[in-house]
Amino acid sequence: MAQTFNGSFLPTVIVGNGEIELAGQGFTRTVSVPTRSALNIFNKIAIRETNLATDTLGLYSFLKVGSDKKARIASMRPGEHLLRARTNGCTWSPSGKIRLNTDVFDTCPVEYMGEECPDALWGDCLEGIFGTANNNDVRNLQATAETQGFLQLLLDNIYTGLGNSFSALYNFANSTLITNSDTNALYLNNGTSPESWAAYKSQQMDSGTCAGIVTILDG
């Protein structure tokens, strides 16, 4: 974008590559000054939920799930009532049993689908990050250093969002608190939009019969 001023006895100048260049003289005197501003994009401060993968407090167990989408846990139960009065000689009379118990529970598969099309950035100031060297660059989110940085910023936010979403699902899936909030529209009290609430409710309640940790404790 450029702003044009007309006046007498000034040489004609043309803006090119962000610089003012002398173009010549004539009866029409024009100065074009670039006024386009740079846009600095920052990551907002965000709350990051507990990173379950790091298991900082040693609270979680990580299991492999079979093709039937079931997880199995085997555990040993200590023997009970193992002691007897002392016997004479070589009498051998073992007592008590150690039992191996197996628990099986279902898992609920979820997925993430997302996309960022280059044309979402067309038609405004952000289109400039694609550069001008190649017209096809406008379709390439890795065409320039600026688009690469922008893409990295997008990925960082996607991974943060995935971690937070999984934490919400892991703790509050199928919670009656969500049902109550939905029935009484309590989510409006904290400024949550109906669109955002619908997405949260679908994530938490439509992923199967699995219950979150807090949901199980409440039960």
Side-chain angles (χ1 to χ4, degrees):
M1 181 184 296
Q3 187 171 358
T4 303
F5 300 91
N6 293 323
S8 59
F9 306 109
L10 288 175
T12 300
V13 292
I14 299 174
V15 175
N17 298 323
E19 299 178 355
I20 298 178
E21 301 174 354
L22 180 64
Q25 298 186 20
F27 291 100
T28 301
R29 315 301 184 191
T30 304
V31 176
S32 296
V33 180
T35 59
R36 183 172 181 172
S37 299
L39 178 64
N40 297 282
I41 303 176
F42 295 92
N43 258 337
K44 294 181 66 176
I45 295 175
I47 295 176
R48 293 176 183 251
E49 299 289 348
T50 302
N51 187 341
L52 302 179
T54 60
D55 194 18
T56 305
L57 299 179
L59 299 177
Y60 309 108
S61 297
F62 300 92
L63 310 177
K64 293 183 178 180
V65 178
S67 59
D68 57 358
K69 297 191 290 292
K70 295 182 182 293
R72 293 170 172 80
I73 300 177
S75 59
M76 286 188 179
R77 190 174 71 183
E80 298 177 337
H81 321 307
L82 304 181
L83 301 179
R84 292 288 184 272
R86 187 171 60 180
T87 58
N88 297 325
C90 295
T91 302
W92 178 248
S93 179
S95 62
K97 297 179 180 179
I98 295 178
R99 301 181 184 276
L100 180 66
N101 297 325
T102 302
D103 295 317
V104 180
F105 57 89
D106 295 324
T107 61
C108 300
V110 295
E111 64 182 1
Y112 165 69
M113 291 187 292
E115 64 179 358
E116 181 60 61
C117 299
D119 58 359
L121 309 178
W122 296 353
D124 57 29
C125 61
L126 284 176
E127 184 171 342
I129 68 176
F130 292 101
T132 59
N134 185 336
N135 288 336
N136 287 329
D137 282 351
V138 77
R139 300 183 182 276
N140 183 6
L141 281 174
Q142 300 188 61
T144 65
E146 289 79 10
T147 56
Q148 292 171 20
F150 188 81
L151 183 60
Q152 182 61 52
L153 196 62
L154 285 176
L155 292 174
D156 287 344
N157 280 273
I158 287 172
Y159 285 126
T160 298
L162 283 173
N164 288 347
S165 297
F166 182 73
S167 179
L169 189 63
Y170 188 84
N171 286 290
F172 294 98
N174 287 302
S175 172
T176 55
L177 296 174
I178 299 175
T179 303
N180 181 54
S181 182
D182 185 64
T183 302
N184 298 287
L186 299 179
Y187 62 89
L188 296 174
N189 295 339
N190 61 6
T192 302
S193 68
E195 180 183 12
S196 178
W197 176 256
Y200 174 75
K201 179 185 173 184
S202 177
Q203 171 186 275
Q204 299 296 114
M205 309 298 286
D206 298 339
S207 299
T209 59
C210 297
I213 291 178
V214 177
T215 307
I216 294 173
L217 292 175
D218 285 344

